[in-house]
């Protein structure tokens, strides 16, 4: 099993320095951003496309650090009704498949995307509890008219390149739990589209990630190590807490999500928070999680994703790595 980290949290460091951080933490794998919501500071896309020598030089940086490049990440919304976002994020998935094949990387991580509820819609619409048949109509449009045609194309391109596209089950996407992951796999007759198992987004939905691994079986092709802490305020507001605030694109620290859209401000007194591995669930849980993944694939890549707002980047990575290595009996 490869234990590594997604280097987006080290975006301000040169690649060689970021890889050195991972090596010094005792990790041996890395996931690199290639597009989608975030830029690609650790992937020289033009150079990778340009020549075999450029690709060898790039991969040589990983070899020198003793780190394996296990996946490219292009999380975004390839089904967004706003063409400015959809066109870029959709193409980024295709480009990531091409780049992965050129680099000999077998995994691309992304999200399924989320369309509008109807053909005239201008904004994404998440239909999660279709108790009214109007919501079933919306869901049918989103899947049949938008998602399935796009993902059949992804499946075909991934198969041609022999690259596995791993879908993160993420709320505010059509694929957000095991049932929707299975639906996508069946709708496109998948051979080269699978699941990325990120427990953090499952925890706050009340899903047991280990049970989810067992239910999905061989569909699980990649994994993230990110934890979630359920807070006391969940007893009052539940986990579907919408008290997020607007961040204007010109505000200091605003994070663009494509086009005119930005990452919203997290609620105070939140119902739940993303935390470093071990700050939401203990070493015993993470040991069981790794063991479940290992039953599917002993060579599974598991990459730490740091989004703990209470720890800085290096402290968060260090804490998560220590817990993950202990869980794997490699500490």
């Amino acid at each position: 099993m490869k234990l590594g980290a997604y280097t987006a949290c080290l975006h301000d460091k040169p690649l060689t320095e970021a890889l050195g951080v991972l090596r010094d933490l005792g990790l041996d794998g890395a996931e690199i951003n290639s597009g989608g919501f975030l830029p690609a500071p650790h992937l020289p896309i033009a150079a990778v496309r340009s020549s075999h020598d450029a690709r060898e030089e790039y991969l040589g940086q990983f070899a020198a650090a003793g780190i394996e490049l296990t996946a490219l990440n292009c999380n975004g919304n390839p089904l967004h009704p706003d063409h400015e976002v959809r066109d870029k994020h959709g193409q980024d998935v295709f480009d990531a498949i091409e780049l992965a094949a050129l680099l000999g990387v077998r995994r691309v991580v992304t999200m399924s995307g989320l369309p509008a509820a109807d053909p005239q819609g201008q904004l994404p619409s998440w239909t999660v509890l279709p108790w009214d048949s109007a919501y079933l109509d919306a869901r049918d449009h989103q899947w049949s008219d938008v998602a399935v045609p796009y993902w059949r194309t992804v499946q075909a391109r991934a198969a041609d390149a022999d690259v596995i596209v791993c879908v993160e089950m993420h709320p505010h996407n059509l694929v957000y739990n095991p049932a929707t992951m299975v639906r996508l796999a069946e709708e496109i007759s998948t051979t080269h589209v699978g699941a990325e198992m990120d427990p953090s987004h499952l925890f706050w939905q009340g899903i047991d990630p280990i049970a989810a691994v067992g239910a999905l079986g061989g569909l699980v092709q990649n994994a993230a190590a990110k934890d979630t802490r359920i807070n006391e305020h969940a007893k009052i507001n539940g986990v579907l807490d919408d008290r997020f605030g607007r961040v204007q694109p010109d505000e200091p620290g605003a994070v663009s999500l494509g086009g005119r859209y930005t990452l919203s401000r997290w609620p105070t007194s939140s119902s739940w928070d993303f935390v470093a591995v071990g700050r939401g669930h203990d070493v015993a849980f993470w040991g069981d999680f790794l063991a479940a993944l290992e039953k599917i694939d002993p060579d599974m890549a598991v990459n730490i994703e740091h989004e703990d707002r209470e720890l800085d980047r290096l402290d968060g990575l260090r804490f998560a790595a220590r817990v993950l290595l202990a869980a794997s009996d490699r500490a």
Side-chain angles (χ1 to χ4, degrees):
M1 182 167 283
K2 285 287 180 185
L3 301 183
Y6 176 35
T7 66
C9 67
L10 301 173
H11 61 87
D12 59 338
K13 299 183 182 298
L15 176 62
T16 53
E17 188 176 340
L19 296 178
V21 170
L22 304 192
R23 178 197 60 222
D24 293 346
L25 291 175
L27 304 172
D28 55 13
E31 184 176 315
I32 303 293
N33 209 71
S34 65
F37 291 132
L38 301 176
H42 293 152
L43 182 63
I45 293 173
V48 166
R49 283 192 170 124
S50 68
S51 72
H52 175 77
D53 289 346
R55 294 189 286 276
E56 289 298 302
E57 180 180 351
Y58 177 67
L59 291 171
Q61 297 178 69
F62 292 85
I67 301 290
E68 180 180 340
L69 176 56
T70 59
L72 302 184
N73 187 304
C74 57
N75 277 336
N77 187 352
L79 308 180
H80 202 293
D82 185 330
H83 72 86
E84 185 177 358
V85 180
R86 179 183 66 247
D87 293 352
K88 178 187 182 299
H89 291 184
Q91 185 60 45
D92 283 350
V93 176
F94 299 151
D95 290 347
I97 293 169
E98 173 200 356
L99 293 165
L102 288 171
L103 290 167
V105 176
R106 290 295 316 285
R107 301 291 185 269
V108 166
V109 177
T110 191
M111 296 172 182
S112 65
L114 183 66
D118 63 84
Q120 289 74 45
Q122 300 298 306
L123 296 169
S125 178
W126 194 33
T127 301
V128 293
L129 191 63
W131 61 272
D132 180 325
S133 65
Y135 305 127
L136 289 174
D137 293 343
R139 191 179 66 180
D140 288 348
H141 161 71
Q142 291 176 311
W143 278 91
S144 300
D145 300 339
V146 185
V148 171
Y150 175 79
W151 279 95
R152 281 179 177 157
T153 302
V154 173
Q155 155 64 28
R157 293 193 180 204
D160 286 346
D162 196 22
V163 168
I164 308 296
V165 177
C166 306
V167 178
E168 181 177 351
M169 293 173 284
H170 194 295
H172 285 276
N173 280 261
L174 286 186
V175 173
Y176 60 92
N177 63 8
T180 49
M181 182 67 239
V182 169
R183 177 174 180 174
L184 178 65
E186 292 176 345
E187 292 271 11
I188 64 174
S189 301
T190 188
T191 61
H192 284 73
V193 173
E196 198 236 8
M197 179 57 63
D198 181 342
S200 67
H201 299 288
L202 304 183
F203 284 136
W204 70 260
Q205 295 182 71
I207 298 170
D208 177 348
I210 296 171
V213 170
L216 290 169
L219 274 177
V220 179
Q221 293 286 330
N222 202 71
K226 190 171 77 169
D227 210 341
T228 299
R229 180 185 63 217
I230 307 298
N231 299 325
E232 283 295 305
H233 280 80
K235 295 177 181 177
I236 299 169
N237 293 311
V239 296
L240 297 178
D241 182 358
D242 75 342
R243 295 173 298 130
F244 288 74
R246 186 178 299 280
V247 176
Q248 298 298 335
D250 58 353
E251 284 187 41
V255 177
S256 172
L257 296 181
R260 60 189 176 88
Y261 310 102
T262 60
L263 184 66
S264 300
R265 185 172 291 107
W266 201 261
T268 56
S269 304
S270 53
S271 292
W272 54 272
D273 290 295
F274 294 130
V275 292
V277 171
R279 297 190 69 221
H281 296 78
D282 61 15
V283 172
F285 165 81
W286 288 99
D288 291 344
F289 178 68
L290 294 178
L293 294 172
E294 194 167 25
K295 288 180 182 178
I296 295 171
D297 180 2
D299 297 322
M300 182 82 67
V302 183
N303 291 310
I304 295 166
E305 186 174 353
H306 174 63
E307 291 188 20
D308 191 324
R309 297 177 299 126
E310 298 168 353
L311 298 176
D312 72 23
R313 291 170 294 165
L314 292 179
D315 286 344
L317 280 176
R318 189 176 298 112
F319 189 100
R322 187 164 57 246
V323 171
L324 202 62
L325 290 168
S328 69
D329 296 324
R330 284 164 51 176

